[in-house]
Amino acid sequence: MTGKDNKGTAVVTGASSGIGAVYADRLAGQGYDLVLVARRADRLEELAEKLRYAYHRKVSVISADLSDDDDVRRVEQAISADESVTLLVNNAGLGGQQVVATADVDAAERMIKVNVVALTRLTRAVLPGLLARNRGAIVNIASVLAFDSSFGGIYSGTKAYVVNFTEALHREVAGTGVKVQVVLPGATRTDFWELAGSDIDQLPKEIIMNADDLVDAALVGLARGEAVTAPALVDVAKLDTFLGARQAFYGSLHADKPAPRYAA
């Protein structure tokens, strides 16, 4: 590859399988060097070797558990110091259909650390460099369950954070050369479901997307500058209607006195 082909370095978390592995493949094909982050070192090395051979890109790996504070800080230091980084894909995530009363509190804490804390810290690690270079993008993988708590308030709550965090970040970088995108996958066929203790085959086949199609759509959305990408959404006007209604609702929440229904 020539220097012209090189788009910089993309950091992909949760890269050892599923959505993250597809992102790694697609981004290498687009001309990015890669830093792949995940817990499973053997699978990372296997994927890295495959991508080096297929695309002749530089691919490095960081084996890290993003629920571990020391590991998160180790990844932060590596990517914040790398001036070639132009793209961060915060894909790593933990799931689980847990209600609060019966949730394993340690498992819930790990979920929050990976889905919320690590995502925030890694974003903060690369953002100053992207802004200084006036180039690059941050992609945060949320979930349609950010808008539906029936799967359990813990997981849904973490993904609602990702949506709000990313929307605010998009406004923060407006007018710069840095893009910010949140992706809203629906049911996607990966090993995420098995790890979360759920059976995706219990869902109707017509609502299950494969990871390749999801990532390809998300990359089109990123190229188009979408702040919110919902790959399964056919009528994009529904997104505009939803966001507009939410803003109107927010605008109605301010007054100098309580609403009349609360009068004694």
Side-chain angles (χ1 to χ4, degrees):
M1 293 284 180
T2 67
K4 182 179 179 180
D5 295 318
N6 195 313
K7 295 186 176 181
T9 298
V11 179
V12 183
T13 69
S16 60
S17 65
I19 293 171
V22 177
Y23 261 109
D25 178 84
R26 299 301 194 265
L27 293 172
Q30 288 186 5
Y32 287 90
D33 291 331
L34 299 172
V35 175
L36 307 180
V37 182
R39 289 183 299 110
R40 294 173 284 189
D42 56 339
R43 296 186 67 166
L44 275 181
E45 290 290 355
E46 181 181 349
L47 176 61
E49 187 58 33
K50 174 184 173 183
L51 296 176
R52 293 182 193 116
Y53 178 80
Y55 300 108
H56 307 289
R57 305 282 359 147
K58 178 182 176 183
V59 184
S60 60
V61 302
I62 303 175
S63 176
D65 180 350
L66 295 184
S67 69
D68 181 88
D69 294 344
D70 291 337
D71 277 10
V72 172
R73 282 159 178 73
R74 182 162 53 85
V75 177
E76 281 182 78
Q77 291 170 2
I79 65 177
S80 63
D82 187 346
E83 294 186 355
S84 72
V85 170
T86 54
L87 175 61
L88 170 64
V89 180
N90 276 310
N91 166 72
L94 296 178
Q97 193 167 352
Q98 302 181 49
V99 294
V100 176
T102 57
D104 180 312
V105 69
D106 292 327
E109 182 179 9
R110 286 193 296 273
M111 186 187 298
I112 293 167
K113 282 187 171 182
V114 174
N115 296 5
V116 173
V117 178
L119 177 142
T120 304
R121 294 189 68 100
L122 296 186
T123 298
R124 176 61 180 81
V126 303
L127 183 59
L130 298 182
L131 290 172
R133 296 184 288 275
N134 199 34
R135 176 190 182 201
I138 294 171
V139 177
N140 292 329
I141 308 301
S143 168
V144 296
L145 292 176
F147 309 110
D148 182 2
S149 59
S150 62
F151 195 69
I154 301 171
Y155 178 75
S156 175
T158 66
K159 292 304 184 179
Y161 172 88
V162 175
V163 172
N164 283 9
F165 173 80
T166 312
E167 286 185 301
L169 188 62
H170 183 267
R171 289 192 294 272
E172 183 178 333
V173 304
T176 74
V178 178
K179 295 180 180 179
V180 173
Q181 176 198 38
V182 63
V183 181
L184 302 174
T188 308
R189 188 171 292 282
T190 70
D191 63 359
F192 174 88
W193 288 77
E194 182 179 351
L195 294 172
S198 300
D199 182 3
I200 194 172
D201 288 320
Q202 296 300 310
L203 298 176
K205 291 182 179 180
E206 60 270 20
I207 71 166
I208 302 173
M209 190 176 294
N210 67 57
D212 295 77
D213 288 342
L214 172 79
V215 173
D216 288 340
L219 287 171
V220 170
L222 178 64
R224 292 175 177 173
E226 290 183 353
V228 181
T229 296
L233 181 64
V234 175
D235 184 1
V236 73
K238 289 184 177 180
L239 176 61
D240 296 333
T241 298
F242 169 75
L243 295 175
R246 188 180 63 172
Q247 190 61 34
F249 174 69
Y250 171 75
S252 69
L253 297 177
H254 304 274
D256 62 344
K257 295 183 183 299
R261 68 179 178 280
Y262 296 114

